[in-house]
Amino acid sequence: MFHNDRLGAPCNPLLDQLPSYQSLLYRRKPSASGSTKRRGSSRTRLGSSSSGKWGQTTLARQHEEKHRTQTLQRPVRELPKPMAEKRRDKDQRLEQAKDLSSWSQWRQGTRRTLRRLTEDGFEMLSNLELWRGDIHVIEGMFGTGILSYFSFLRFLVLLNFVMFLLMFGFVMLPIITAPHASGNTTFNHVDGFECSNYPSTSRRGLVVFHQHITDLLSGAGFLEQTYLFYGYYKVETIHFPKFTYNLPLAYLLVTIAYLFLSLIWIVKRSATGFKRKLVQDEDRFQSFCNKIFAGWDFCIVNDSAARLKRSSLLYELKTDLEEERIKQKMADRTRKEKCRIYVIRLILNLFVIAVLAACFYSIYIATNFSQKAQMTKVNFILDLIYEYLPSIVITLANFITPLIFSLIIQFEDYSPAFEIRFTLMRCVFMRLTSICVLLVSLWGQITSCQEGNCVCGYNHILYPCWESRVGQEMYKLMIFDFIIICAVTVFVEFPRKLIVDYCDCGLAKWWGQQEFAIPQNVLGIVYGQTICWIGTFYCPLLPAICTIKYFIIFYIKKVTLVNNCRPATRPFRASSSNFFFLAVLLIGLALACVPVTIGIAQISCSQACGPFVNYTTSWEVLPRTVSQLPAGARTFLLAISSEAFAVSLFVITCLAMFYVIALAGAHKRVINQLREQLVMDGRDKRFLIQKLCQAQRTCAIRSTGSGFQSHSSDRVSPSYRSNSGIFLVQPPPDSATHV
């Protein structure tokens, strides 16, 4: 194929013309003479052809060997080959197995058996996965975008169930199974003290039926002094036959454990989505290619879902082009236009701040009014409205503000994708901060006394067990949120579906069918999960309630998706992965840790209820327990909690972080080099295809001309034609690479 020059090195003028080789020569810029350059180029091509671009690199060989080894280890039935090749591979493996020793054959058979048992075990576990069949049906009908929401909902069900197991196993179960202790145990050494007075809230005498409904919806009455709320666990130690169980310490450690477990679980699940998001956002051209060549969802088997997926891909491409147009428009803006846009955005953001402030102030006023109105009973309806007044105001604010934000964002001149993200972040801030405003309003009343000096550290007259009151508010928020979801499905989405299907008026057609907006639904369940994280400390059974709630919501959303709603024609891009959902959930977790930490470490514990009766704050149980440990364990724990250890750990963490950052930078440079190499490979292929087309045209012209020659010349033409296929790699006598 190659002609040899006088040095014996293979050379070819066609390869000298490749874009990759010309780029290599340009980068090296040799300063030697012309003959040295020619000899160096020949050596370079020789090395490249043997171990560089033209040959198989060491890394590629290692990759192929690893792939070949994995292929040999896989069962024949799993190989992506035709049936004839599978039979041939099976016969080859049987022949190779005959040459092995008995020990090797036994090891190979044992390894194969263990692998089959492991695969069968994983298959059985996958069959036991929650909602596996339902999620596959949803995936087939609506694609992976809708699927991600239901997978996220399943993750929250499992998370809340694990939280419930922690609270039940370490807090409730010891009290239930204790031989000589129960939840009704009191501390006699504080009886008679002013702060220890906790009157019973159970109704006595003849109780009307609607009062039981009020107690069930508000958490008061017969529910207040049960396992549901904090105030019932008035036990300090439980004496078992062989050990003593410290319930306050277990209560505090379980609270820290479920928050830390939630953090680890969320970060672990979001790592994969974050990597994918970084790769997708790296290059806009790559995003176009992914949507055009790899954007179709082959899990879709429904015709309407296929048409919807096609329209959504078309919308995403239009959105990308619109973003590019807006970026170009932003780059071409004059200083006057920039000042005008910034002034408009400033005014609109000030209006948004005013709307948020008005909503927060309304929540604050509603909370104060509700707490005062609950002291006096009027009638069933008004009492229930007063009980749920903060929840009603929060729900109205969460319903009205997204409409205002969607209207305002149109005048701020952002890109379409940024408009969606910015609106969602405003809604996230509104939903999650409203819970904090409610808690601040409650704690303002809890820590303020009429005389100005709180003897117990809190208002023990109005709130003898303030932790249970906070738990009741979280319980009411959870119940009311579930009621709203069910009511919207039954009284809004279902009638709208009937009107659109059976009413021929233009208004009904313009109104259209309800869209299943994934981001808004995700914000709703993140809002409920944040309530669960905050309220679990004050209402230990709240994770169980939340698990049941999400379990029912799954089927409600499935029914409304299949029957009442249609997928959104403008899907949010992050809906195809769980990263956006988990990022919002992580924000909710961070926000939930703030009030829980303040309630544990800053506000004085109730002296009339709960496991921390003998402590000033809930956190005080931890240092007191450490002080009772043996000297060695106490010294070790104090050393871990010291400032010197914290500084050392911080320095080591920074060094590890710098190493990871440097490693990521090196990997990014390698990826960029590989991308450049792929681009060069594409240019080389295009160049070779052009040369091949030219050669084919030349061959066709010469073959046509040879038809008019004599019979003797026709006998020569086959030899010419047989050599014309390889003349691409035959250099002419005056090649520049010949010496």
Side-chain angles (χ1 to χ4, degrees), residues 517-538:
I518 300 176
Q520 282 72 20
N521 283 280
V522 168
L523 292 183
I525 59 177
V526 169
Y527 167 76
Q529 186 60 37
T530 306
I531 296 173
C532 181
W533 278 322
I534 296 175
T536 302
F537 181 78
Y538 308 104

Side-chain angles (χ1 to χ4, degrees), residues 184-193 196 234 613-614:
N184 294 322
T185 303
T186 58
F187 296 90
N188 295 324
H189 58 276
V190 296
D191 287 345
F193 187 56
S196 62
K234 195 179 179 182
V613 170
N614 292 332

Side-chain angles (χ1 to χ4, degrees), residues 499-565:
I499 292 173
V500 172
D501 289 345
Y502 298 103
C503 184
D504 296 333
C505 62
L507 180 61
K509 299 299 181 184
W510 173 81
W511 194 18
Q513 195 174 356
Q514 175 75 28
E515 287 189 355
F516 191 85
I518 300 176
Q520 282 72 20
N521 283 280
V522 168
L523 292 183
I525 59 177
V526 169
Y527 167 76
Q529 186 60 37
T530 306
I531 296 173
C532 181
W533 278 322
I534 296 175
T536 302
F537 181 78
Y538 308 104
C539 181
L541 282 178
L542 198 60
I545 299 174
C546 199
T547 302
I548 298 173
K549 170 190 169 183
Y550 288 151
F551 190 87
I552 299 174
I553 285 177
F554 180 90
Y555 290 102
I556 291 175
K557 292 298 180 181
K558 179 187 173 183
V559 170
T560 191
L561 173 65
V562 175
N563 300 315
N564 300 336
C565 298

Side-chain angles (χ1 to χ4, degrees), residues 478-506:
M478 184 71 67
I479 297 298
F480 191 75
D481 182 57
F482 177 70
I483 292 173
I484 289 298
I485 292 175
C486 297
V488 168
T489 302
V490 175
F491 299 109
V492 176
E493 295 176 354
F494 183 69
R496 180 174 177 175
K497 169 71 173 178
L498 295 178
I499 292 173
V500 172
D501 289 345
Y502 298 103
C503 184
D504 296 333
C505 62

Side-chain angles (χ1 to χ4, degrees), residues 280-298:
Q280 292 176 353
D281 296 343
E282 185 70 23
D283 188 9
R284 177 61 63 185
F285 179 74
Q286 183 183 5
S287 176
F288 283 120
C289 293
N290 289 339
K291 288 182 176 62
I292 294 174
F293 298 108
W296 187 255
D297 190 353
F298 289 94

